[in-house]
Amino acid sequence: MLLWLLVELCVLNVADLLLTRYSLWLGFARESNGVMDYFFRSGTVPTVAFKIGIVTVGALLLWRLRHYSTALIAAALLAGVFSAVVAYQALWVLSF
Amino acid sequence: MAAPLTSAGSTRPHVSEARALLLSALVLLAGIALGAAGFFVERGMSTWRPEITRTASGWLVVQTQRTPLGALALGGDSLVWANGPLIVRMDLRSGRLKLLGPGPLARSTWDPAVSQRYVVWFEAGAASAGEASAWVYDSATRRRRQLATLGDVLSLPSASGRRAAWCTTLSDGAPGIVAVDIPTGEQTSVAPEYGIPVIDGDLVTWPTRTGSAGMPAAWALVDVSGGRRWSIVPAATLPNARLLGYDLSGRTLVWAETDPASGRGRVVAENVDDGAADVVAEVNDGSSLTAAPSIDGDLVVWAEERAAATGSRVMGRRLGGGPSFIVRDVAGRVLSTAAGGNTVAWLMQRGQTSTIETAQAPR
């Protein structure tokens, strides 16, 4: 189950990046995360590298710790929260 | 033979792949449900959405007990208004609303202008007009972006086709009228002077040299494509007239004037090339003109308040022939009218209720 949750996490991360990028391009949104705002202003390559990289590293870490039940709980919480954020973003974009 | 020793505590039960997939899908669905619930709850709590109703001939927008609606503008499929500092666009085909501004870093806005495809307005981060910027919403791409930075805001924007025009302080601090090509952002100086411009196509006009009674002594006209400038003198004006408002479409300038002393009012259309004028409407039966006229093509619309403030009429007339007609009799006071194609829109206030309504003008 941990593997499926980590796969979901990575897919949701890509969806979050695409939706955020599109919302910023529409001009109706502003990135409130200072770190991500810096990367968005730096360009596409740094943004993709940072966003994909940091979540991938986190997922690999959780996989490394797969023998502990805490890793499963953490992955489930992260996937749940991430899916809530992506669902909210998707509905917001679709409302345009 | 003794069984091999197993490591202590390794008694985790085996979970099938299908069950693992199902559980992780449930986590995903729970998150999606939470996100969707948050979206709809937040949307339900928004206070800027008025009540929208489709009528037999158009739309009815009603806002009660909240900030009055204002700054009505009509163009293409866009009906735009202001709700306090908020700029709201309604798609006339679907009735869907979109909040265009102000952006996250702005606090105040100025009345918007609409062309077929674009909505243009000003935003500022503070109440002062010294740090404003022009913004544009493109209905084709559904995108909003900054169009230009401004000096002082000296006029509201006007928009037509792919151009917008306004008056602002230039780099030297002096007032000037500029025209902006919306897709490219390229600015053209129209005139190095103060004025409240209206643009239609390549033509920009503004009143100059206000006369002693409040009517402009002349209208300046500039063709921004060729740079030609000329003036016309307003014809068929009332004695002691005061200008109520004006609009431009094609080669026709239309304005409304009132004589406070006599209560008379007049809507006049004048050709900007030969100065030929036509009195579109004359109001002298106790009624009064209440809003600037609007013109699009051959359709002129204006509003009259009936005697003793017993209600108002939204009026229209086709230039080139035919009598004026009543678009709608309403119970409140009409604050502004707009014509776009064959669509007429008006903003009305009655007590605590603001209403915007649209209808089709008879051909």
Side-chain angles (χ1 to χ4, degrees), chain B residues 2-149:
Chain B
L5 291 172
T6 59
S7 58
S10 61
T11 55
R12 186 185 300 276
H14 171 72
V15 178
S16 68
E17 284 300 311
R19 187 175 161 197
L21 189 60
L22 181 65
L23 287 171
S24 54
L26 282 174
V27 170
L28 185 68
L29 287 172
I32 289 173
L34 189 65
F39 174 82
F40 288 110
V41 165
E42 186 185 44
R43 186 169 170 147
M45 290 168 59
S46 66
T47 57
W48 61 270
R49 292 178 180 274
E51 188 182 314
I52 309 285
T53 310
R54 190 153 205 151
T55 65
S57 58
W59 295 95
L60 180 64
V61 179
V62 180
Q63 175 137 307
T64 307
Q65 301 290 346
R66 282 183 270 161
T67 309
L69 304 179
L72 179 69
L74 176 66
D77 293 321
S78 299
L79 179 67
V80 183
W81 64 84
N83 182 356
L86 306 179
I87 305 293
V88 182
R89 173 189 178 266
M90 187 175 98
D91 187 321
L92 288 171
R93 296 165 297 181
S94 62
R96 287 182 70 177
L97 298 181
K98 180 172 288 187
L99 190 61
L100 303 186
L105 300 178
R107 288 291 177 267
S108 49
T109 59
W110 281 258
D111 294 2
V114 186
S115 68
Q116 286 284 331
R117 176 173 164 176
Y118 303 104
V119 181
V120 179
W121 70 99
F122 301 149
E123 293 186 1
S128 70
E131 300 175 352
S133 55
W135 288 77
V136 59
Y137 172 77
D138 184 340
S139 60
T141 63
R142 303 184 306 158
R143 189 184 177 202
R144 85 170 221 147
R145 60 182 173 85
Q146 185 170 337
L147 181 59
T149 53

Side-chain angles (χ1 to χ4, degrees), chain A residues 1 4-13 15 75-88, chain B residues 20-36:
Chain A
M1 184 175 165
W4 287 117
L5 287 171
L6 294 178
V7 168
E8 277 179 14
L9 207 59
C10 292
V11 171
L12 289 168
N13 184 40
L77 279 173
L78 284 170
V81 170
F82 230 137
S83 58
V85 169
V86 169
Y88 179 94
Chain B
L21 189 60
L22 181 65
L23 287 171
S24 54
L26 282 174
V27 170
L28 185 68
L29 287 172
I32 289 173
L34 189 65

